[in-house]
Amino acid sequence: MNASSATTDQIQRALRKVSEHLSALGHTPLSDIYLQVMPESGDLFVYDDTDTELWRCVVEEWIGRSGEDFYAEAAAAAGAAIRGLRAEMEALNLQKPYSFVLTDEDKETVCELYLVDDDLLQISGELMEGLSEDLDRFWAELSKDM
């Protein structure tokens, strides 16, 4: 299932509220924003790195969802919402580097959605995606020659 525009809009609305809240505070030493998704209730909680709730909303499309692919779909939807607000997310008064992290209902990290540093910007995916496989192939080739 691909995220609908209503889901992306709901997530973007929550992120705008978080941005407004953080702007009102001025520069903060925060370095991470956590998006916690609850598949059964459809809740989306946004927390800072001190575990303070910044915003919450219900993503109707997520209510009653379960299954292995839920978090991958939620990550795709949240990533799309962040990409749509890229300029606003880069302008947050947060200590760099900062990131947006998707967590599950137990607040365990699912994936890093967005990372901003002075010299580095990463949207979705791992920083060195495929590195492990490349190293495994390298060592396999290297050990053949020994």
Side-chain angles (χ1 to χ4, degrees):
M1 171 187 105
N2 292 327
S4 70
S5 63
T7 295
T8 302
D9 290 346
Q10 285 178 301
I11 298 168
Q12 285 182 335
R13 197 169 22 258
L15 292 172
R16 282 190 185 103
K17 292 295 186 179
V18 168
S19 177
E20 290 169 13
H21 174 74
L22 293 175
S23 293
L25 295 176
H27 183 74
T28 63
L30 300 176
S31 61
D32 292 307
I33 301 294
Y34 296 92
L35 285 73
Q36 180 185 28
V37 294
M38 308 294 243
E40 291 303 315
S41 64
D43 287 319
L44 170 66
F45 297 96
V46 182
Y47 293 97
D48 65 17
D49 57 6
T50 64
D51 219 19
T52 302
E53 184 178 308
L54 301 173
W55 194 256
R56 77 167 62 183
C57 66
V58 175
V59 179
E60 294 173 17
E61 195 172 287
W62 292 347
I63 295 173
R65 291 292 312 275
S66 61
E68 295 175 13
D69 59 340
F70 171 76
Y71 289 106
E73 292 169 5
I82 292 169
R83 283 190 300 279
L85 298 174
R86 182 175 177 173
E88 284 181 60
M89 298 301 102
E90 289 179 22
L92 292 175
N93 288 325
L94 299 177
Q95 180 178 339
K96 290 184 179 178
Y98 64 88
S99 60
F100 285 77
V101 179
L102 183 71
T103 65
D104 63 14
E105 44 196 18
D106 298 322
K107 292 191 178 180
E108 295 293 323
T109 298
V110 174
C111 68
E112 188 170 78
L113 298 168
Y114 188 78
L115 170 68
V116 177
D117 196 349
D118 286 332
D119 300 321
L120 173 70
L121 169 66
Q122 177 191 357
I123 300 176
S124 183
E126 293 182 27
L127 185 59
M128 302 291 283
E129 194 167 343
L131 179 63
S132 181
E133 294 82 12
D134 288 344
L135 285 173
D136 290 343
R137 280 192 297 276
F138 172 77
W139 287 115
E141 288 296 316
L142 186 63
S143 62
K144 283 183 190 176
D145 295 335
M146 292 185 160

